[in-house]
Amino acid sequence: MSRPACKAKYHEDKETMTLDWRVCSRARLARDARFDGKFFIGVLTTGIYCRPICRSRTSKERNVRYFPSAAAAAEAGFRPCLRCCPECSPGSPAWAGTQNTVSRALRLISETGLEEGGIEALAERLGIGSRHLRRLFLRHLGATPSAVAQTRRLHFAKKLIDGSALPMTEIAFAAGFGSVRRFNAAIRDVYHRTPTQIRSLAQKISRQPENQYLFHLHFRPPYDWKRMLEFLAVYATPGVETAEGGYFRRSIRLNKDHGYFEVSLDASRNALSVQVQIGEPGSLFSIIERIRAMFDLDADWPTIARTLETDPALGPQITFHPGLRVPGCWNGFEFATRAILGQQTDTDTAKTLAGRMVSAFGLPFCPANGLTHLFPTPEILANADLGSIGLRRPEAEAIRALAHAVHNGPIRFEKVTDSNALLGRLAELSGITECTTQWAALRALREPDAFPSADRQLARVLGLENSSEFEQRSLRWRPWRAYAAIYLSTFASEIRARGNESLSSTGKEVLAGNTVLKARIPAAARRAHRA
């Protein structure tokens, strides 16, 4: 596309752009990794769009344009840079932090693309008109829903071309193109090269064992991988998940196919290395999207930190332990089942019961690094004799009720358009507590503002006994209350210690004769208070 056409397209749609070019310019010149994926740079002299961290020669300011998403840059006529690979950038956080229509639409696109009826069907599921949905996407992302879905497919196809030895036919279907002809045409149109030419330009592909695929999923630093792994280790289901030695592994089932994945940190790339073994490559797109969500790779840490660091209890933790993310889960039904097991018992006992459940009712899995089973399906648990593994009657009945509801359809954790409605149906099931539904919103539905105000243990970290007081205190953390909950859970002992120290030293007054003397505040407490 010629340079004037690129410029004209930008001006035509510029009313939808909300980026501050001064901030973008500083981040571009500094190649600041914290802004990777938050915007993209279109270079008028080349017709290429890049990530802020691109190592290519820096262009003059008058020759660049800024876009809030890769799809917006593609819509303006720019093609992806083959050096910085925009397909590898973290997802845009432009819509994050609210339970809005755009975030729900993007979740549905990541699960199914637009294969099930196109934009009209997507808008109908969201309860709005297709024209209004298009306007919302243009306002937040600078591109239409179809352009966003198309860009995601292309980016995923590019990853497979560069990093796998899959035949192009299988890549076409794995990326959701439906036909090789459409795949070839889309790649040529966007990259101005054939898929084979792109593969020849990539670095030498390291040969993976059959049915194994390697991905590097990038994030914006900082990312506290150590604490993420520790959190997942506490709640890991024996036989299904392991979190040790710097690795997280779990068995998976998707579209009647099963396998496993392994995740580790690649700090040099600001990425997680993900090894997937699955028999059907057509499932890879869905698997990678789930893993991205599970490890919260698209979070915008500076924005979250600015809200939470103003709280006197959370501020020091945000400063000393930056980059903690919200651990998601692979499967909502599995998470809710595990949560029920822990409602009336401690974590270790709940883990033991989960291991027994998996051994008794899960599908045996070829052993691989501690993975021995697939988690039982709702169909199996709906009629299972859970008392045989030592489960109390109330929890057994609650799990069977949940399994029946998921198997028969009233409750679905996939393709969710109304989180509140789903949580309402979950709360109606006998034996499921309010705390469980709140944690399900946080970890299974990945709502950034979900908050478990009914969790008494979490409330006591701040010295609160009343859930209404806890809810009121949490309002200052909106719209990032889920992150506050994870900090309270992870650093409970540190927050309690600081709270006790503050009570005993920062506000104490001592009467000496007729003079009121302030108690001396230790230096460490003063620093914590300032932070």
Side-chain angles (χ1 to χ4, degrees), residues 79 102 144 190 251 356 389 395 456 464 496 516 531:
R79 65 183 188 275
V102 176
T144 63
V190 171
S251 58
R356 291 177 188 171
I389 62 171
E395 284 74 26
R456 293 183 179 180
L464 303 173
R496 285 196 191 98
V516 179

Side-chain angles (χ1 to χ4, degrees), residues 348-359:
D348 290 338
T349 302
K351 178 177 283 192
T352 299
L353 290 171
R356 291 177 188 171
M357 180 187 294
V358 165
S359 297

Side-chain angles (χ1 to χ4, degrees), residues 5-77:
C6 290
K7 187 180 295 186
K9 178 68 176 179
Y10 173 81
H11 286 302
E12 174 188 335
D13 285 344
K14 71 178 180 180
E15 69 272 13
T16 66
M17 307 297 170
T18 58
L19 298 174
D20 185 334
W21 73 267
R22 298 173 186 82
V23 174
C24 293
S25 179
R26 290 195 296 270
R28 175 179 74 94
L29 295 174
R31 295 187 172 91
D32 193 333
R34 295 174 300 174
F35 288 82
D36 189 14
K38 294 182 71 172
F39 67 90
F40 293 84
I41 305 154
V43 182
L44 295 174
T45 53
T46 63
I48 289 172
Y49 72 89
C50 303
R51 299 158 68 181
I53 61 171
C54 187
R55 307 306 298 182
S56 297
R57 187 177 66 181
T58 304
S59 300
K60 295 179 179 179
E61 193 65 38
R62 65 174 180 269
N63 292 328
V64 302
R65 297 292 183 269
Y66 299 110
F67 299 93
S69 67
E75 284 277 83

Side-chain angles (χ1 to χ4, degrees), residues 53-188:
I53 61 171
C54 187
R55 307 306 298 182
S56 297
R57 187 177 66 181
T58 304
S59 300
K60 295 179 179 179
E61 193 65 38
R62 65 174 180 269
N63 292 328
V64 302
R65 297 292 183 269
Y66 299 110
F67 299 93
S69 67
E75 284 277 83
F78 295 91
R79 65 183 188 275
C81 175
L82 292 175
R83 181 170 184 177
C84 68
C85 300
E87 68 274 4
C88 294
S89 64
S92 170
W95 57 86
T98 59
Q99 300 179 20
N100 61 23
T101 302
V102 176
S103 65
R104 296 198 300 272
L106 286 165
R107 180 185 297 169
L108 292 173
I109 289 174
S110 70
E111 292 179 359
T112 64
L114 288 176
E115 284 75 26
E116 299 179 0
I119 297 177
E120 287 72 21
L122 176 63
E124 183 178 354
R125 293 191 64 188
L126 294 167
I128 61 174
S130 58
R131 291 179 63 185
H132 182 50
L133 180 62
R134 184 180 184 276
R135 283 196 296 269
L136 289 175
F137 266 68
L138 287 170
R139 184 188 308 160
H140 289 279
L141 302 174
T144 63
S146 57
V148 170
Q150 174 78 347
T151 300
R152 285 189 171 192
R153 284 197 295 268
L154 281 166
H155 282 182
F156 187 72
K158 175 65 161 48
K159 288 181 182 179
L160 291 177
I161 292 171
D162 288 346
S164 79
L166 276 176
M168 296 302 173
T169 302
E170 293 192 27
I171 290 177
F173 287 98
F177 280 93
S179 74
V180 177
R181 181 185 60 79
R182 286 176 55 199
F183 165 71
N184 287 333
I187 293 292
R188 281 197 302 269

